Structures are given as C-alpha cells and as structure tokens.
C-alpha cells in the first residue's frame, strides 16, 4: 500500500522523527487503506506515536471501529538526528558534514539513533506485542524503516 503523503515531503524536509501531518492527499490515501482494511476483520489496531501515524490510525479507527493503542516503540528511526525537520537546502548550508555522513547509512549523524539501537527497540517491542496477539489479524500503523526491518 502507498505511504500517505506528509507535509514534510512537500516542504522537502528531512523526515525520520520529524513530527509532521498528513496532507489532504495523505488523508485520502489513508481513507483508501482504511476501506481495504475493513475487509480483513482485524481485532486490534496499533500505531506509532508520531502525528502522521496517529492521523492515519484515526482514519482507520473510524472505518473499522477499532480502538487504537499507541506504541511509541514503533516510531520511525531517528536516522537524521540534528537534520530532522530541516529543509534539505538549508541543512546543506548549515550542516554540510552531517549531510556527508547521511550518504553512508552506517555512519551516525549527530543526535541520531544507530541502526542497531533502532533494530533492538523495534524487535523488543514486537516480541512483547506477540504475547498479546491472537490468530486474528491486527493492524500496525508504522513507518518505512520499521516496515523494512520486518521484511528482512
């Protein structure tokens, strides 16, 4: 399913933990996803605590009648540290060394979360959540890095 558009995409900002809102297109994309999710008969809904995930979860909750439980452990990876939320052109002028580090995924930007710490956080939360889940489908509204981690 498509990733709902957020304001930071349009404004060309570094994302990660930048807490931005869904755009009107993102809201419509979320409604499309919610309509599809009505068909799976899920019994639970979970979401990251970031605004874009909460807004998506609210739309899904309205369509499915499920109450959303917020799980901050499923927030996006803080990959960009001091760059989070900054317009990319401004960041290139203000933080050129950090921009260079961003080219190497293994390098850590000032204030960022290492991939190892991110992986530990998410997998620990998933392990705890497994004990609550049944064989009935559940919905998790999360972020790109979280989803990519699950797919590995």
């Amino acid at each position: 399913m498509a990733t709902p558009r957020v304001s930071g995409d349009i404004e060309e900002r570094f994302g990660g933990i930048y807490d931005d809102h869904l755009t009107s297109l993102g809201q419509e994309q979320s409604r499309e996803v919610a309509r599809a999710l009505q068909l799976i008969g899920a019994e639970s809904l979970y979401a990251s605590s970031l605004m874009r995930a909460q807004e998506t979860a609210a739309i899904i909750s309205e369509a499915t009648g499920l109450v959303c439980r917020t799980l901050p452990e499923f927030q996006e990876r803080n990959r960009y540290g001091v760059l989070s939320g900054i317009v990319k052109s401004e960041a290139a002028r203000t933080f050129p060394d950090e921009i260079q580090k961003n080219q190497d995924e293994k390098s850590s930007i000032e204030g960022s979360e290492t991939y190892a710490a991110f992986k530990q956080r998410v997998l620990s939360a998933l392990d705890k959540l497994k004990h609550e889940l049944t064989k009935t489908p559940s919905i998790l509204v999360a972020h790109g890095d979280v989803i990519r981690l699950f797919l590995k």
Side-chain angles (χ1 to χ4, degrees):
M1 293 187 197
T3 302
R5 288 290 301 227
V6 294
S7 58
D9 293 339
I10 294 168
E11 298 164 355
E12 292 287 312
R13 294 181 184 276
F14 279 98
I17 62 163
Y18 174 63
D19 210 7
D20 51 351
H21 293 278
L22 294 176
T23 62
S24 57
L25 174 59
Q27 292 169 0
E28 181 52 39
Q29 290 170 322
S30 293
R31 284 190 283 277
E32 289 175 23
V33 168
R35 284 190 289 275
L37 290 173
Q38 287 176 313
L39 304 176
I40 70 167
E43 73 172 25
S44 52
L45 171 62
Y46 305 94
S48 152
S49 56
L50 293 177
M51 259 185 297
R52 58 193 184 263
Q54 289 292 303
E55 291 172 354
T56 301
I59 291 168
I60 294 169
S61 177
E62 185 176 318
T64 62
L66 296 171
V67 175
C68 181
R69 179 172 160 207
T70 300
L71 299 173
E73 298 87 356
F74 289 109
Q75 282 188 8
E76 182 62 286
R77 177 181 169 208
N78 178 7
R79 179 177 178 196
Y80 302 112
V82 296
L83 302 175
S84 296
I86 297 177
V87 174
K88 291 177 181 179
S89 60
E90 178 187 328
R93 289 188 304 276
T94 310
F95 297 102
D97 293 341
E98 301 305 316
I99 296 291
Q100 185 62 37
K101 287 180 188 176
N102 188 47
Q103 304 306 311
D104 178 6
E105 189 168 310
K106 294 179 182 173
S107 184
S108 291
I109 295 171
E110 179 185 336
S112 70
E113 178 181 32
T114 65
Y115 184 78
F118 161 74
K119 183 177 179 180
Q120 177 64 35
R121 169 173 55 88
V122 171
L123 293 181
S124 291
L126 182 61
D127 191 50
K128 289 177 192 172
L129 189 59
K130 283 180 187 177
H131 299 292
E132 297 178 21
L133 300 176
T134 65
K135 294 192 185 294
T136 305
S138 294
I139 300 166
L140 172 63
V141 181
H143 307 278
D145 282 346
V146 174
I147 295 165
R148 281 187 285 280
L149 178 62
F150 288 165
L151 294 175
K152 286 186 176 181

